[in-house]
Amino acid sequence: GAGVSQSPSNKVTEKGKDVELRCDPISGHTALYWYRQRLGQGLEFLIYFQGNSAPDKSGLPSDRFSAERTGESVSTLTIQRTQQEDSAVYLCACWGGINTEAFFGQGTRLTVV
Amino acid sequence: DQQVKQNSPSLSVQEGRISILNCDYTNSMFDYFLWYKKYPAEGPTFLISISSIKDKNEDGRFTVFLNKSAKHLSLHIVPSQPGDSAVYFCAASDRDDKIIFGKGTRLHILP
C-alpha cells in the first residue's frame, strides 16, 4: 500500500483480556517504531525494530507488552492481561533512513473497560 | 533519558500572530530534524525538516530554525490560523539510523 496501515482502528476490550495490534509498514522501510499516546499526554516510545538487529525494547512499560516483526514486514504489538491504564492510541511509524521522514499510521485506539 | 525535549506541553496563540514551538536536544550526533503535526484521531504527519548543514528552512507559513551550538530548534508559524491547532512533535535522527521524537506540544489558536 501507499502508506502505513494499522488495524484495528478501534478496539474495546475487557480488562484482563489479551489484544493484538497490527502494523503494515511501507515496503522497503527498514525501521519500525511503536508509540503510544494516552489521553492528554505526549508521545511515549515503546519499541524500535531495525532490519535484522535485536529490537530496542527499552520503552515497553511492563512484561505484559511484547512486539514482533518478521524481517521488514508486518509488526504486531501484543498486550496481555490488559489493564485500564493501557487505554491509549497506539501508533506505528516506519522510516526509510537518514535524511528522510518517518511515516505514521492512523493509530489504533485501545479502550480497556 | 529524553534526547529530544519539548518542554512546553501546550501553547495558546491568537489567530494571526506568530506561533513559536521549541525543541531541545542533547545528542550532538543528530544531523536531521523534523516537525510533525497531529490532529485528533489521526496519525502524525510530516510538516517540515532541516538538515544540520542549514540553520533555517522555510515552507510557506512554516519556518524551522536550527541553532546547533545551543542544540535547539524552533518552528515558527506566521500567521497562525485556526487549522494550525494541533499537537506538534519535534524529531531528530542520527547516523545510527534512529529517529527520536519529542513528547509533543499542543498548540491552540485562539479566535
Side-chain angles (χ1 to χ4, degrees), chain A residues 31 33 35 37 40-45 48 50 56 91 93 95 97-107 109, chain B residues 31-32 34 36 38 40-46 51 87 89 93-104 106:
Chain A
Y33 301 78
Y35 293 88
Q37 188 175 22
Q41 298 192 21
L43 207 58
E44 181 183 358
F45 166 75
Y48 161 65
Q50 173 61 280
D56 176 354
L91 291 160
W95 188 48
I98 296 172
N99 294 346
T100 68
E101 62 187 269
F103 294 87
F104 282 85
Q106 81 283 10
R109 180 174 297 279
Chain B
D31 58 5
Y32 192 65
L34 311 95
Y36 283 76
K38 183 184 183 302
E42 296 181 13
T45 55
F46 170 75
S51 165
V87 178
F89 296 100
S93 67
D94 64 16
R95 298 178 194 283
D96 289 334
D97 280 4
K98 192 169 183 178
I99 188 167
I100 309 284
F101 285 85
K103 290 190 175 290
R106 184 177 300 277

Side-chain angles (χ1 to χ4, degrees), chain B residues 11 41 48 55 61 73 85 91 105:
Chain B
L11 175 69
I48 193 169
D55 54 19
R61 296 186 298 113
L73 67 155
S85 293
T105 296

Side-chain angles (χ1 to χ4, degrees), chain A residues 59-71:
Chain A
L60 294 179
S62 78
D63 59 8
R64 296 186 296 105
F65 287 72
S66 62
E68 291 185 354
R69 188 185 188 197
T70 305

